[in-house]
């Protein structure tokens, strides 16, 4: 699995130095060794950097930050919180849909969990960790992905202005602590998981706020319907 080759072209100049760093070489070696041992890794190779295929570093309008890819078969497809059509909608995404339905944006929850339509409009659905071993949640934490995605956030922070960052839960908020709040809009809440959604995620109005902010910056708002 050659990670360097898979990174979409518009991102490569910004990541050139990153790809030579010790942590990235170590991450590459770790993934190669896992595959050699016959371990199944999600998402599929073709979807590993899928979130980056839809946006260049200077065209990101919204970042929705997740943590790990889903670890069950056919769930992960390279976009945070999203699953392919035909796969059961995960609980956190159901709560995201609930919040959207209550937000006066005319959103009607679909029967699927595929968020590709958001990505196509400039929403970077970014997980902090981009791979996971099948059926082992969090198995690729602290292998190097966190440093790589810190760099992605830094690139967006410096290369764009007026980007909306949605940081849900303590993990995402810690990861986004260096974002320039004067230059960008940072929306924070508890995580949409069933364990915490009722403590402030439901009713947070992040999707409406994001669109109001984008309009104010004379950008086209996101059509959240799916």
């Amino acid at each position: 699995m050659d990670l360097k080759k898979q990174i979409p072209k518009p991102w490569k100049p910004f990541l050139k130095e990153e790809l030579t760093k010790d942590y990235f070489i170590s991450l590459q070696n770790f993934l190669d060794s896992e595959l050699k041992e016959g371990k199944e890794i999600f998402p599929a190779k073709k979807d590993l950097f899928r979130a980056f295929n839809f946006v260049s570093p200077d065209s990101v309008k919204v970042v929705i930050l997740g943590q790990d890819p889903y670890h069950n078969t056919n769930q992960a497809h390279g976009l945070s919180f999203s699953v392919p059509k035909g796969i059961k909608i995960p609980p956190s995404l159901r709560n995201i849909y609930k919040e959207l339905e209550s937000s006066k944006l005319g959103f009607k929850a679909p029967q699927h969990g595929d968020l590709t339509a958001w990505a196509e409009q400039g929403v970077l659905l970014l997980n902090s960790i981009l791979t996971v071993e099948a059926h082992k949640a969090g198995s690729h934490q602290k292998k190097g992905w966190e440093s790589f995605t810190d760099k992605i956030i830094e690139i967006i922070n410096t290369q764009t202005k007026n980007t909306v960052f949605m940081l849900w839960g303590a993990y995402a908020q810690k990861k986004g602590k260096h974002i320039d709040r004067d230059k960008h809009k940072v929306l924070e809440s508890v995580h949409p998981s069933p364990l915490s959604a009722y403590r402030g995620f439901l009713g947070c109005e992040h999707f409406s706020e994001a669109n109001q902010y984008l309009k104010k910056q004379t950008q086209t708002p996101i059509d959240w319907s799916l």
Side-chain angles (χ1 to χ4, degrees):
M1 185 189 284
D2 189 336
L3 295 178
K4 289 181 190 177
K5 275 188 182 171
Q6 288 174 261
I7 292 167
K9 218 173 183 176
W11 291 86
K12 279 186 176 168
F14 299 94
L15 291 164
K16 200 176 175 183
E17 278 179 42
E18 213 64 15
L19 306 184
T20 63
K21 288 184 178 175
D22 288 348
Y23 87 81
F24 193 84
I25 293 161
S26 167
L27 170 64
Q28 175 74 73
N29 293 339
F30 164 72
L31 291 171
D32 287 343
S33 136
E34 293 288 281
L35 289 167
K36 207 174 275 182
E37 285 177 31
K39 292 179 181 175
E40 193 176 7
I41 291 174
F42 297 145
K45 192 166 103 172
K46 68 179 175 62
D47 289 331
L48 190 56
F49 293 109
R50 188 161 175 256
F52 305 94
N53 286 334
F54 299 97
V55 283
S56 56
D58 59 354
S59 69
V60 179
K61 287 183 176 181
V62 179
V63 178
I64 298 181
L65 189 59
Q67 191 168 347
D68 286 283
Y70 296 119
H71 59 273
N72 287 329
T73 308
N74 297 328
Q75 282 185 310
H77 66 153
L79 306 176
S80 62
F81 293 101
S82 179
V83 290
K85 284 178 180 160
I87 300 299
K88 188 181 175 187
I89 301 169
S92 290
L93 184 53
R94 285 200 179 278
N95 284 330
I96 290 169
Y97 285 175
K98 263 186 205 172
E99 169 54 25
L100 271 160
E101 282 192 306
S102 71
S103 66
K104 301 187 180 77
L105 288 168
F107 180 87
K108 189 175 182 327
Q111 297 301 305
H112 66 83
D114 186 351
L115 306 179
T116 302
W118 295 358
E120 290 169 342
Q121 297 175 73
V123 180
L124 181 66
L125 294 158
L126 178 67
N127 275 320
S128 173
I129 297 142
L130 299 188
T131 55
V132 69
E133 186 183 340
H135 316 300
K136 290 191 179 177
S139 49
H140 289 187
Q141 287 179 8
K142 297 182 180 162
K143 303 295 181 186
W145 280 128
E146 292 92 338
S147 298
F148 180 79
T149 51
D150 279 348
K151 181 64 180 178
I152 296 294
I153 291 169
E154 185 196 310
I155 290 165
I156 297 163
N157 188 34
T158 54
Q159 294 301 316
T160 69
K161 57 180 183 175
N162 307 324
T163 297
V164 180
F165 289 84
M166 295 187 186
L167 308 178
W168 301 330
Y171 181 93
Q173 284 155 27
K174 189 179 174 192
K175 196 167 176 72
K177 68 181 178 204
H178 297 302
I179 296 162
D180 184 342
R181 263 70 171 172
D182 295 325
K183 196 179 171 191
H184 303 288
K185 180 79 169 172
V186 177
L187 300 172
E188 296 184 337
S189 158
V190 296
H191 196 275
S193 89
L195 299 172
S196 57
Y198 288 92
R199 296 204 306 269
F201 177 77
L202 296 173
C204 70
E205 295 287 347
H206 281 186
F207 299 97
S208 300
E209 272 195 64
N211 276 359
Q212 283 162 17
Y213 179 77
L214 291 170
K215 280 183 199 166
K216 206 173 161 187
Q217 309 304 327
T218 64
Q219 292 194 66
T220 309
I222 307 299
D223 176 2
W224 297 107
S225 60
L226 292 163

